[in-house]
Amino acid sequence: MNDELIQVKNLKKYFKTGRGLLHAVDDVSFSIEKGETIGVVGESGCGKSSLGRTVLRLNEPTGGQILYRGQDLVGLSARELKQIRPKMQMIFQDPYSSLNGRMTVRQLIAEPLIVNKVCRSRSEIDERIDRMMETVGLASRLDMAYPHELDGGRRQRIGIARTLILEPEFVVCDEPVSALDVSIQAQILNLLMDLQEDLGLTYMFITHDLSVVRHISRRIMVMYLGKCVEMADSQRIFDNPLHPYTKALLAAIPIPGIESRHKHRELLQGEVTSPVNPKPGCRFAARCPHASSACLESDIPMQEVEPGHFTACKLYS
Ligand SMILES: Nc1ncnc2c1ncn2[C@@H]1O[C@H](COP(=O)(O)OP(=O)(O)O)[C@@H](O)[C@H]1O
Ligand SMILES: [Mg+2]
């Protein structure tokens, strides 16, 4: 398909640690169409942020390819990368920690424009800031406010404004609502969806919370210890999950009025395998109710079990 904006092939990101090589992202492949949102879910530590950062080449990949409009980012020099940078941006979980507390809202939103030298005059900068504040729903009277004077939702709006002011095409949203009150989460999710439609953005939306990605993602990718274990349309993941890990994640979503925690405990027992120098085979095997010795023989590749629905599990191969 030629409307694929991003193609990731066999991407690996290993970190050297005192105990050995930590496989944070291990042989992950997927593509994202222009204007699409792909959700990336999995428990804390499974490699979601590492994947997002590596796709943007904020982390140096250990192996694999990242094609952006067909061009491999892995081979690019620092200078070539700098030119592409504004097109590929990231929204973070906690904008507060990344916002300089001594800068005003106006200064914070201006900063990416100044750093990337994209405007020719001060008045052009001012115009773009005014427009962007309106776009992300920040009242213009707040422009001289400091981040500590604002609530979490408004701070995240500053984070979003700083990302979008460079007019990116592709945005990695890394847990953008996880630090926010539940009441504000929906506002920010709606804002991100409206912006996507208005600006034609392509998102990789990372979260540990499956219920958050349900409506925002067209497709969902489930990660477990550096591996992608299942990928399908959002609806399919919820209606017909295949991988035992995906089933366990879904069972863990609290349903109002129903005690689902007991079920969760039953499904997710056993020790989490270490991501350092992992042995071959399925990394979920130690916690999987269906595991057999065949699961530990070799790594299990992703297979298309039904059209557009992929999983890496012996039960389906
Ligand atoms: N810079 C780093 N150096 C060493 N290990 C790292 C680094 N960044 C992440 N990791 C490790 O990689 C694994 C995946 O982390 P991360 O991508 O942050 O997961 P997630 O975002 O899903 O919580 C974890 O075991 C984490 O400790
Ligand atoms: Mg993370």
Side-chain angles (χ1 to χ4, degrees), residues 31 40 46 74 78 109 114 130 133 136 156 159 163 171 182 191 202 211 218 232 243 268 276 278 283 311 315:
S31 54
V40 178
C46 72
V74 177
I109 300 174
I114 294 166
D130 292 339
M133 285 186 67
V136 301
Q156 188 54 291
T163 299
V171 180
V182 174
L191 172 65
T202 303
S211 53
R218 194 177 67 115
H243 199 283
L268 278 179
V276 178
R283 305 215 176 142
T311 192
L315 290 177

Side-chain angles (χ1 to χ4, degrees), residues 109 112-113 118 128-129 132 160-168:
I109 300 174
L113 291 176
V118 286
R128 278 177 71 160
I129 294 170
M132 188 45 69
I160 294 169
R162 278 162 61 86
T163 299
L164 297 187
I165 195 112
L166 292 172
E167 300 179 347

Side-chain angles (χ1 to χ4, degrees), residues 45 48-50 93 174-175 206:
K48 304 180 297 296
S49 297
S50 299
Q93 171 172 357
D174 191 355
E175 309 259 12
I206 294 173

Side-chain angles (χ1 to χ4, degrees), residues 11 13 15 24-25 40-60 90-94 172-176 178 204-208 221 223 226:
L11 193 66
K13 176 63 198 176
F15 293 107
V25 177
V40 178
V41 296
E43 289 164 293
S44 172
C46 72
K48 304 180 297 296
S49 297
S50 299
L51 177 65
R53 294 180 56 83
T54 310
V55 167
L56 295 179
R57 251 200 81 179
L58 296 169
N59 280 343
E60 214 41 61
M90 193 147 178
I91 295 171
F92 298 95
Q93 171 172 357
D94 179 10
V172 174
C173 308
D174 191 355
E175 309 259 12
S178 302
M204 180 166 154
F205 194 101
I206 294 173
T207 174
H208 65 277
M221 181 174 140
M223 283 185 80

Side-chain angles (χ1 to χ4, degrees), residues 268-288:
L268 278 179
Q269 53 187 214
E271 236 177 280
V272 181
T273 313
S274 167
V276 178
N277 302 331
K279 292 188 193 75
C282 177
R283 305 215 176 142
F284 186 60
R287 295 165 93 185
C288 182

